């Protein structure tokens, strides 16, 4: 999973079942059926019918508490109008807790309910007059003790001229003169791992790539030429890197343009991505496609099987997400989408972000992984309270790669670690023991111990020896002092909701002007609140005036103050002109994805 900005905190994953399905078959294996109706899409209500056969006395059904993000999101709160029938008779239905219902009856039980969703982006679901995007785990109840049974899902009579696509089906099936989208999955987890797009979209297959990769795009502000060329380069490189495809058919579901949401979410045979324009697509796509291996198949034992009823803790997110970031940047430079200068600039940004957070002095990569469930709280996300396992993991991946190359004379690399994990764990359906098996695999590849590296920098929070390790690859790190304007407060914004002040710097001009946490911003310098406040701030100068009109305790207040200033240290990765031959060789190997023994182009 990823957000558009390389410096943003990425958020992570859905379920881990490897998705296999049979489209359009008249299967009798599916024991539990779902029908999703999209009537009156402008009302944002999915109308769901769930049919459960072979019930003896009563059945418990549950809605996941989390999916796509490491946050307890309580999807049951979206559900309304639950009722059940046993044959023609209405069945006794009781809500047990915020995500669980009990229905009494025997034989075949039918449950009817509606669930409200209108949130853009790959981490949510949405139904409006333009399209429907469905993350099944967010709208479909399941039977806890029967989630391994076969599933059949249908979407009958969608709005006129709407089509549908997902990892389990290629389109609509015509049944008795009516359009009906049908797919089958071997179990609930497989169904949950296959997002569905319904609406008017463009679809094409990537040429020159095998197995089949399809691209589905809803939105605007994109060029087919650019999208196709970027995705082709990304997919061909990563498939070559990892010795072939782990799928028979793959689907990119892309939402591009205004209101598309931001970021990407990985799935076993697909990804859903939202970006403002195709300019931002490569960075997200390179990350999400590499998740085909790292997390969807190369999986930590601490996240398998998925428990969607409560927090599921792991120490491995620095590798799951952070090292996937490493390979996102490697893919872009090695495929020619980025220049080497762009690669260096990105690595410098990651180090700047990491070193600019006071919490980096005490929060290690493993602890950051464990604390992922705190990310929904604004306080936790502030620099004093946390570092991102995405950022820290990406830098760790780069440093570990250089060390492996140095120890082996550039004959081995982190690429060999990934291929070894794929061969020894993923292809045998085995999970790895978080950081332990990662360390042991790196040691096997490099023929030497990495215990000190993992103890100090993965489990611990000791300062990274940047200059020492980067020097092994003919690189150096320099610092530049930078001054930038500061708001002096932080803002929260729910999709389609107001902008609310979440925290105010007690020493800053905003606080001195009277701004408080909880204030809802109605007006910003005489107009609407900028959709991207960070981008707006980049165009301002320290000392510029900001006038806010806020709502507080049933009254409106106007506040005016001047922007403050922050001094920060920027880190820049540069080539060392005095590097030796071995270091230059390692540098070129890192940029090109090559070793003395293996060349990947």
């Amino acid at each position: 999973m990823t957000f558009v900005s390389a410096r943003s905190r990425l958020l992570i994953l859905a379920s881990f079942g490897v998705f296999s399905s049979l489209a359009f078959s008249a299967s009798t294996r599916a024991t539990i059926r779902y029908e999703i109706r999209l009537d009156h899409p402008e009302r944002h209500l999915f109308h769901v019918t769930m049919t459960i056969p072979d019930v003896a006395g009563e059945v418990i059904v549950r809605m996941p508490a989390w999916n796509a993000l490491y946050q307890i999101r309580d999807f049951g709160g979206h559900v309304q109008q639950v009722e059940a029938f046993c044959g023609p008779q209405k069945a006794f239905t009781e809500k047990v807790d915020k995500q669980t219902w009990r229905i009494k009856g025997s034989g075949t039980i039918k449950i009817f309910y509606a669930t409200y969703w209108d949130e853009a982006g790959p981490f949510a679901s949405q139904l409006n007059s333009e399209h429907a995007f469905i993350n099944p785990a967010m709208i479909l109840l399941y039977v806890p003790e029967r989630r391994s049974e076969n599933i059949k899902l249908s979407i009958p009579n969608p709005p006129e001229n709407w089509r549908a696509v997902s990892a389990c089906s290629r389109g609509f099936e015509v049944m008795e003169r009516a359009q009906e989208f049908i797919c089958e999955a071997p179990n609930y987890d497989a169904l949950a791992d296959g997002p569905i797009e319904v609406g008017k979209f463009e679809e094409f297959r990537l040429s020159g790539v095998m197995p089949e990769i399809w691209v589905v795009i809803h939105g605007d502000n994109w060029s087919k030429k650019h999208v196709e060329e970027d995705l082709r380069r990304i997919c061909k490189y990563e498939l070559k890197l990892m010795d072939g495809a782990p799928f028979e058919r793959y689907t990119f579901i892309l939402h591009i343009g205004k209101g598309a949401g931001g970021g990407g979410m990985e799935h076993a045979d697909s990804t859903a991505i939202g970006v403002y324009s195709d300019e931002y697509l490569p960075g997200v796509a390179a990350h999400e496609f590499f998740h085909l291996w790292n997390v969807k198949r190369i999986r930590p034992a601490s996240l398998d099987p998925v428990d969607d009823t409560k927090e599921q803790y792991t120490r491995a997110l620095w590798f799951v997400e952070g090292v996937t970031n490493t390979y996102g940047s490697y893919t872009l430079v090695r495929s020619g989408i980025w220049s080497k200068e762009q690669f260096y600039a990105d690595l410098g940004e990651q180090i700047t972000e990491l070193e600019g957070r006071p919490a980096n002095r005490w929060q290690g990569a493993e602890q950051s992984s464990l604390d992922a469930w705190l990310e929904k709280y604004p306080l936790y996300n502030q620099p004093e309270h946390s570092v991102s396992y995405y950022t820290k993991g990406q830098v760790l991946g780069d440093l570990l790669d250089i060390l492996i190359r140095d120890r082996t004379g550039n004959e081995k690399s982190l690429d060999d670690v990934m291929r070894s994990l794929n061969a020894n764990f993923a292809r045998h359906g085995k999970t790895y023991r978080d950081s332990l098996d990662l360390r042991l695999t790196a040691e096997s590849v490099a023929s030497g111990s990495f215990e000190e590296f993992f103890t100090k920098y993965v489990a611990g929070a000791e300062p990274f020896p940047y200059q020492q390790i980067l020097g092994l690859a003919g690189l150096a790190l320099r610092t530049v002092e930078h001054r930038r304007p500061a708001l002096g407060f932080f803002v929260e914004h729910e999709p389609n909701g107001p902008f609310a002040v979440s925290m105010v710097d007690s020493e800053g001009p905003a606080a001195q002007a009277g701004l408080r946490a909880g204030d809802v911003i109605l007006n910003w310098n005489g107009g609407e609140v900028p959709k991207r406040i960070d981008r707006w701030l980049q165009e301002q100068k320290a000392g510029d005036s900001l006038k806010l009109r806020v709502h507080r305790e049933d009254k409106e207040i106007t506040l005016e103050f001047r922007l403050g200033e922050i001094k920060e240290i920027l880190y820049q990765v540069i080539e060392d002109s005095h590097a030796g031959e071995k270091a230059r060789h390692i540098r070129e190997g890192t940029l090109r994805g090559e070793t003395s023994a293996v060349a990947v182009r």
Side-chain angles (χ1 to χ4, degrees), residues 343-364:
F343 173 80
Y344 296 151
D346 177 71
L347 180 54
E349 286 182 7
Q350 306 310 313
I351 295 173
T352 297
E353 164 68 15
L354 193 59
E355 295 302 316
R357 301 183 76 90
N360 187 45
R361 311 295 181 266
W362 57 265
Q363 189 179 53

Side-chain angles (χ1 to χ4, degrees), residues 200-403:
K200 298 177 183 178
F201 51 76
E202 295 193 41
E203 181 180 21
F204 58 89
R205 180 181 172 184
L206 284 185
S207 61
V209 184
M210 288 296 293
E212 293 183 18
I213 297 178
W214 288 80
V215 183
V216 173
I217 305 180
H218 172 80
D220 51 29
N221 205 17
W222 62 279
S223 158
K224 181 180 178 182
K225 179 182 178 181
H226 292 158
V227 170
E228 189 169 16
E229 179 59 25
D230 287 339
L231 292 182
R232 183 187 297 110
R233 289 188 180 194
I234 289 166
C235 295
K236 289 186 72 172
Y237 174 75
E238 293 187 3
L239 290 169
K240 180 74 173 178
L241 172 71
M242 295 302 292
D243 295 330
F247 59 86
E248 295 181 0
R249 186 178 188 271
Y250 187 86
T251 304
F252 284 95
I253 298 176
L254 308 180
H255 298 150
I256 303 178
K258 185 177 180 180
M265 184 63 228
E266 71 277 355
H267 300 278
D269 293 318
S270 63
T271 184
I273 293 174
V275 289
Y276 181 75
S277 75
D278 59 17
E279 173 188 358
Y280 301 99
L281 178 61
V284 185
H287 178 101
E288 298 308 326
F289 196 69
F290 196 74
H291 270 313
L292 270 171
W293 298 276
N294 196 16
V295 90
K296 297 312 297 182
R297 289 161 177 89
I298 303 172
R299 304 180 304 185
S302 50
L303 286 175
D304 189 62
V306 168
D307 183 350
D308 56 23
T309 66
K310 61 184 180 181
E311 294 90 342
Q312 190 163 4
Y313 297 101
T314 176
R315 299 178 187 273
L317 295 188
W318 70 271
F319 189 85
V320 164
E321 292 294 346
V323 173
T324 298
N325 257 6
T326 302
Y327 276 94
S329 64
Y330 278 173
T331 295
L332 295 178
V333 70
R334 293 171 181 177
S335 67
I337 294 174
W338 274 2
S339 66
K340 65 179 182 180
E341 289 77 18
Q342 287 174 293
F343 173 80
Y344 296 151
D346 177 71
L347 180 54
E349 286 182 7
Q350 306 310 313
I351 295 173
T352 297
E353 164 68 15
L354 193 59
E355 295 302 316
R357 301 183 76 90
N360 187 45
R361 311 295 181 266
W362 57 265
Q363 189 179 53
E366 288 187 347
Q367 184 179 337
S368 177
S369 301
L370 281 173
D371 288 346
W373 296 94
L374 300 173
E375 288 177 348
K376 69 178 182 178
Y377 302 112
L379 179 65
Y380 175 79
N381 289 311
Q382 300 312 313
E384 295 80 8
H385 299 283
S386 69
V387 297
S388 168
Y389 45 84
Y390 289 87
T391 307
K392 200 154 193 172
Q394 178 176 344
V395 176
L396 281 168
D398 285 291
L399 299 180
L400 183 59
D401 186 23
I402 293 171
L403 287 174

Side-chain angles (χ1 to χ4, degrees), residues 392-520:
K392 200 154 193 172
Q394 178 176 344
V395 176
L396 281 168
D398 285 291
L399 299 180
L400 183 59
D401 186 23
I402 293 171
L403 287 174
I404 293 172
R405 289 175 181 272
D406 178 70
R407 292 186 185 184
T408 63
N410 203 45
E411 289 189 355
K412 298 291 183 180
S413 72
L414 189 62
D415 301 350
D416 296 288
V417 173
M418 296 307 307
R419 287 190 285 262
S420 180
L421 290 168
N422 193 43
N424 296 328
F425 291 92
R427 289 178 178 169
H428 294 283
K430 294 168 54 180
T431 57
Y432 64 84
R433 295 168 294 177
D434 288 18
S435 293
L436 174 60
D437 282 325
L438 299 177
R439 175 173 66 81
L440 293 176
T441 302
E443 291 176 344
S444 175
V445 166
S447 300
S449 175
F450 277 107
E451 184 173 1
E452 182 180 8
F453 181 90
F454 274 74
T455 299
K456 287 184 174 181
Y457 311 124
V458 176
E462 293 196 24
F464 290 173
Y466 296 113
Q467 298 287 13
Q468 176 188 342
I469 297 179
L470 290 174
L472 299 175
L475 300 172
L477 192 66
R478 70 182 180 191
T479 59
V480 177
E481 185 177 278
H482 176 69
R483 298 168 183 260
R484 61 179 175 85
L487 280 176
F489 63 93
F490 298 91
V491 173
E492 285 183 319
H493 174 54
E494 295 293 333
N496 304 313
F499 289 82
V501 177
S502 59
M503 183 179 294
V504 181
D505 177 4
S506 61
E507 304 298 323
Q512 295 172 13
L515 190 68
R516 300 180 189 173
D519 286 350
V520 175

Side-chain angles (χ1 to χ4, degrees), residues 159-181:
E160 187 177 1
N161 297 322
W162 282 21
R163 296 183 293 148
V165 70
S166 79
C168 72
S169 181
R170 302 185 184 184
F172 284 115
E173 181 177 5
V174 177
M175 298 185 65
E176 298 180 356
R177 300 181 180 178
Q179 278 191 318
E180 185 173 22
F181 172 66

